Each structure stands twice: as C-alpha cells, then as structure tokens.
Amino acid sequence: MQTALRSLSLLLALASAPAFAEPQPLGIAAAKGVQSIAYDINAAGQVAAVLEDANGRQRGVLFEKGKLIELGSLGGQFSDTRAINARGQIVGSAQDKHQHWRAYLYQRAGGMRDLGTLGGPGSVGLAINGAGHAVGFADTAAGDYHAFVYRGAGPLVDLGTLGGKISYASGINRHGQVAGTAALPDGHRHAFVHDGARGMVDLGTLGGRSSSAAAINDAGVVVGASETADRRWHAFVHDGKRMIDLGALVGRGASVATDINNAGHVVGSIVSGDERLSFVWRDGKVTLHRGGKGLQLINGINDAEQVIGATYHSKLEAATMRSNAVAAVAPQGLRKLGLTAALVLAATASIVLLRRRYRGIVLSAPVA
C-alpha cells in the first residue's frame, strides 16, 4: 500500500509541481546488477519498461500503482516493451520457443498475443495508437524485413518499401498514419510517412544520403534524424511540407529525435565527442540535459509533458521528468559512463546489426 501511495504521490507531484532539474525515479525495484529502463507512460501512470541484466538480456514489465508485473514471453526467455496506449495495451517483442523474436500485443485481460510475421521467422513491435493498432517490422518469406501495420485484427499488413529491400515502421498516430524508414533502390534509407490515401511518401533528407523516422504525432508531424550534406547526423522535425534541421538548433554533436507529443514538443539524444546528452525542444527553445542531472536516456514524451527514460546512479534506473525541467550542469558529464554510452548508441544502431534495437542510423558522424 505504501509503495502504491508513493507512486501516486509521484504522479501528482509531476502533474502539479514546478519544473524539476532532477529526474524523478519511478521506484521500480530491481535486483542487484539489474537496470530498469522506461519506454513509455500513459495518462493513468502505467509504465512500459524493461529490466536488463549485465549481459543485456531484457524482460518486459508493466509498472502500475507501485506494482511490477512481468509480461512473460511467447515461449522463450526474454522480452521487451516499446509503447503503451491509454487502454493499457502494450506493444513490444518477445522470444518464442524457437528463440525467434516476435511482435506481441499485451493486455491484462488476455495476456501476450503473438502478432505473427510477414512470412519469415521473426517480427518486432515498436509503436501503438489509442485504437490498439500496432506497427513495427517483420521478416518476409524472401528473407528481407518490411514495415507492417496491425489494425487490431487479421494478419499483418506489409507497407512495402521505397524501392529497396527493407523497411521498418516506428510510429503510428490516431489517424493511422505511420512513420518509419525504408530503403531506396540504391540501398540508402529515407524516412517515410504512410497513409491510406498516398501510400508510402519519401520525406527526403537534410542534404545527406539517409534519414530515419522515429515517431509521429496526431498532426502528422514526424521526427527522427537525417544525414546532412557534410555527413553529420542531425535531429529533424518534418511538418508535412519540409524537413526542419533541429540539430542545427541543438548546436552540437550528432543528434537524434526520439519522440514528439501532440503539443509538438520533441525529445532526443546527442553524442558530442565522448559525451552523451539528452535534449527537449519545446516552444522554440532547446534545453540540454547532461549526465548525472537530467535523464541519461530519453525514450519518449507524452501529452501530460512527462519525459520518460532512465537516469543513472551506478546503474540505469527508470525515471521521468517534466518537459520544462530546467537544465542542471554536471561537471563530469557522461565521460565515465561507458555502459550508458553503449546503450545510447545501441538505441541508434543499424537494424542490420541489431534486429531488435533499431533506429536505422549510427551516431558516428563527425561531431562539432
């Protein structure tokens, strides 16, 4: 009961208190050496998170009212989570008995349900909207992987590509518009938006060869990262007409936008030399959060202005902060947090190398 009251008090404090510089741990209890990372939170305070051991093996969990609920798997040992909607439905990936990763939809009433594939052995679930429609990517019978949309019933729908062999979907809004990344005939990848009227639309780049979309809000605004003409990776916002260079506003290093809410506020990560930072862009202003004070890892932002991810105190711990939190500078930055740096890079690594933890880009471009 006390744990539940603490959790409720935290949510009330986040909703009503002035901006905090310090992130607020969610209070997810984890065994020694096990980290907790939050990926999404809904208005009811339900959190989709993972517990990760020292070997990087993950277990998907639901955290609500101070209680930790293990989501289990599809017959294998491990699972993850990616998103949760207002109804408490969770999308993610879990191992089956053959050790293949399969996209799932979880809800308390029915547990974890395998969403299937596009003819191959595996699939990955990455985002869900309020209607319970999910997106991700799945293996095809030809041995490639394509973006899919699951519309609440029936088989996965293959969204195709931009002429290349692969694609993956990373966001879906209430109108069913999907954001993702797809290969061109020359093998380079571009961010796309897909809807029923136009199909898959190439969003282009910031002058470079490749781009990758991470999320889309209900207004159809897409965020992600793009290579620039000088081969740097910059976060972008695409307003439906043009791609805006958010990385230029961030002003340092290589950046990637990971999420956007319906107010148009954007969150993401930055790699600058050996330092890793996170950022929030709201109301035309960029706020940088450095190691030890802000969230070390930012995965999302919801419409209640809660930024979700993990902080770091000897290990990653699931936490949240207000989107208008005032930045606080930590002299040491992230220079000695090798594990955190590796996790940030893993979250932005090529899908070819990490089939589950994709972003479609590698933040290894020259930095300012």
Side-chain angles (χ1 to χ4, degrees):
M1 181 65 177
Q2 289 180 340
T3 303
L5 288 174
R6 284 197 299 270
S7 179
L8 178 59
S9 298
L10 172 60
L11 290 171
L12 291 174
L14 288 170
S16 60
F20 291 101
E22 296 280 357
Q24 305 297 302
L26 290 170
I28 295 178
K32 184 178 180 180
V34 176
Q35 305 183 108
S36 61
I37 305 166
Y39 278 90
D40 201 9
I41 184 171
N42 64 16
Q46 294 176 302
V47 179
V50 298
L51 302 181
E52 182 173 295
D53 67 20
N55 295 313
R57 296 173 299 198
Q58 294 184 338
R59 307 194 321 268
V61 296
L62 169 64
F63 184 67
E64 62 175 1
K65 299 179 180 179
K67 183 179 180 181
L68 195 65
I69 300 167
E70 294 265 2
L71 301 188
S73 72
L74 293 168
Q77 291 184 286
F78 307 113
S79 62
D80 68 14
T81 67
R82 287 295 159 169
I84 185 170
N85 66 11
R87 297 155 61 181
Q89 295 174 304
I90 296 174
V91 69
S93 311
Q95 285 185 330
D96 66 12
K97 63 181 180 180
H98 303 294
Q99 308 305 304
H100 296 134
W101 286 91
R102 306 283 290 238
Y104 71 77
L105 184 68
Y106 173 91
Q107 47 193 4
R108 292 290 296 274
M112 186 179 287
R113 180 157 55 90
D114 189 337
L115 295 184
T117 76
L118 292 172
S123 56
V124 171
L126 292 169
I128 189 169
N129 67 10
H133 299 173
V135 297
F137 62 94
D139 292 323
T140 68
D144 302 314
Y145 45 91
H146 285 185
F148 74 76
V149 61
Y150 170 73
R151 305 193 193 281
L156 305 184
V157 177
D158 188 338
L159 297 185
T161 73
L162 290 170
K165 292 186 175 181
I166 65 97
S167 61
Y168 37 98
S170 49
I172 182 169
N173 67 16
R174 66 187 296 267
H175 307 294
Q177 292 178 299
V178 177
T181 307
L184 305 174
D186 65 5
H188 290 119
R189 302 170 186 180
H190 281 191
F192 72 78
V193 64
H194 182 285
D195 59 42
R198 301 177 297 167
M200 187 176 288
V201 178
D202 187 341
L203 298 184
T205 74
L206 291 170
R209 299 161 297 180
S210 303
S211 60
S212 178
I216 184 171
N217 69 7
D218 289 344
V221 180
V222 177
V223 298
S226 172
E227 192 180 58
T228 63
D230 58 356
R231 303 294 187 262
R232 299 170 186 260
W233 281 99
H234 281 191
F236 75 77
V237 176
H238 196 290
D239 62 5
K241 296 181 180 179
R242 63 192 180 103
M243 186 175 285
I244 301 164
D245 190 343
L246 186 55
L249 298 177
V250 170
R252 60 190 297 174
S255 57
V256 54
T258 55
D259 201 14
I260 182 172
N261 67 10
N262 285 323
H265 301 154
V266 181
V267 296
S269 297
I270 303 165
V271 177
S272 182
D274 59 357
E275 187 176 28
R276 275 50 174 177
L277 304 93
S278 57
F279 74 85
V280 177
W281 181 63
R282 54 171 286 159
D283 305 326
K285 179 183 177 183
V286 174
T287 303
L288 302 183
H289 296 277
R290 303 184 67 178
K293 297 297 181 180
L295 291 179
Q296 307 291 83
L297 210 56
I298 287 185
N299 291 316
I301 181 172
N302 67 12
D303 289 337
E305 298 299 334
Q306 292 168 296
V307 181
I308 193 77
T311 187
Y312 189 95
H313 297 286
S314 75
K315 65 179 182 179
L316 288 171
E317 181 179 1
T320 189
M321 70 179 184
R322 300 292 295 168
S323 68
N324 62 345
V326 177
V329 176
Q332 302 261 334
L334 287 175
R335 296 180 183 277
K336 59 184 180 180
L337 302 184
L339 177 59
T340 299
L343 284 169
V344 172
L345 289 174
T348 54
S350 167
I351 192 172
V352 174
L353 300 177
L354 294 172
R355 294 298 301 275
R356 287 195 301 118
R357 290 189 183 179
Y358 88 103
R359 283 292 182 194
I361 63 171
V362 181
L363 292 186
S364 58
V367 294

